[in-house]
Amino acid sequence: MATQPHLLVDEGDLTDRVLIPGDPGRVDRIASHCDDAETVAENREYKVVNAMYEGQELTICSTGIGCPSAAIAIEELANVGVETFIRVGTTGALQSDIEIGDMVVATGAAKNEGTTKRYEAVEYPAVPDYDVLSALVDSAEANDEDVHVGPIASDDAYYAESEAAVADWEAAGLLAVEMEAAAVFSLARRKGLRAGAICTVDGNLVEGTQKGTDTEDDELPEKAKNNVARAIDIALEAVIEL
């Protein structure tokens, strides 16, 4: 198989388990929790690192912002043998009782984006793999961490999230909104692979508090910045159990 055109990786370069933050800078943040981190490739929004955690090999790969770039990452990672994906990102809360710094484990993602529509009908669910979902929840419980578990939304139009849209999401009981999970879940399901997501809340759209982006950690509110590290630990411990 030829070198993947965006990730610049070949079959055999990576492990079968990968953590996928949006931000390339967060690849280094995750790698700092690991041992023997080695950069495999770096191109555009994609940075790929292999590392060891508690004696087990894993890969970390950024996806960039949004479902189109995330779908490219999933397609090319799957092409070189990756079987399990865990998104580790940030998200904006949609319920008033969810605070900045809280963590959300997604049980599904509303498809408020255009990428998955090119793959399948909107009625097909964007849901995580049960084993990955369970591993994330179990890892949080083992670390005495509270996480919100429930459905989220994936949205394309970051600057067009109107008050009406936010109110509709809130009324539907969606916990938070981010920009990649729907594509990650849908593509993994279609390929017979496993995916899940844990995201740290960087703002609350219902309360009107600051909503950050899945970019440099320095732009995050302090409480969210601290809890990103805790979400990373939960994801790392989950991925080695899978």
Side-chain angles (χ1 to χ4, degrees), residues 37 40 43 63 77 82 88 91 98 114 149 204 207 220 225-226:
V40 178
N43 181 49
T63 64
L77 290 167
V82 175
V88 186
T91 189
I98 300 179
V149 181
N204 189 306
E207 296 297 314
L220 296 176
K225 194 184 305 182
N226 293 339

Side-chain angles (χ1 to χ4, degrees), residues 31 34-38 49-52:
C34 302
D35 301 315
D36 302 325
E38 179 182 2
V49 169
N50 283 337
M52 297 283 290

Side-chain angles (χ1 to χ4, degrees), residues 54-236:
E54 295 188 359
Q56 296 196 40
E57 295 179 333
L58 58 91
T59 297
I60 312 158
C61 176
S62 56
T63 64
I65 295 176
C67 284
S69 60
I72 289 172
I74 299 303
E75 290 276 13
E76 296 190 7
L77 290 167
N79 284 345
V80 298
V82 175
E83 298 177 351
T84 301
F85 306 84
I86 297 183
R87 169 161 159 68
V88 186
T90 52
T91 189
L94 295 171
Q95 302 297 322
S96 59
D97 62 337
I98 300 179
E99 299 181 357
I100 291 175
D102 285 3
M103 291 172 281
V104 175
V105 174
T107 58
K111 295 176 173 179
N112 295 112
E113 40 72 43
T115 301
T116 59
K117 294 177 178 65
R118 297 296 299 272
Y119 287 88
E120 63 187 22
V122 68
E123 291 83 4
Y124 297 174
V127 292
D129 174 80
Y130 178 79
D131 289 339
V132 180
L133 169 63
S134 298
L136 287 168
V137 174
D138 290 347
S139 176
E141 291 178 351
N143 284 276
D144 294 322
E145 297 281 8
D146 292 324
V147 292
H148 302 273
V149 181
I152 64 172
S154 293
D155 185 47
D156 273 348
Y158 178 84
Y159 286 108
E161 292 170 350
S162 65
E163 290 183 6
V166 171
D168 191 51
W169 287 331
E170 179 189 16
L174 303 185
L175 301 187
V177 57
E178 50 78 82
M179 301 185 72
E180 292 82 31
V184 173
F185 294 167
S186 296
L187 268 67
R189 169 178 46 77
R190 293 185 69 86
K191 293 175 180 294
L193 306 174
R194 306 188 298 181
I198 182 170
C199 295
T200 303
V201 173
D202 61 4
N204 189 306
L205 279 68
V206 175
E207 296 297 314
T209 53
Q210 177 184 349
K211 181 173 185 282
T213 62
D214 202 9
T215 55
E216 293 295 338
D217 283 347
D218 287 345
E219 297 179 13
L220 296 176
E222 194 63 36
K223 185 177 179 183
K225 194 184 305 182
N226 293 339
N227 282 12
V228 163
R230 295 160 66 191
I232 289 169
D233 287 338
I234 290 171
L236 284 167

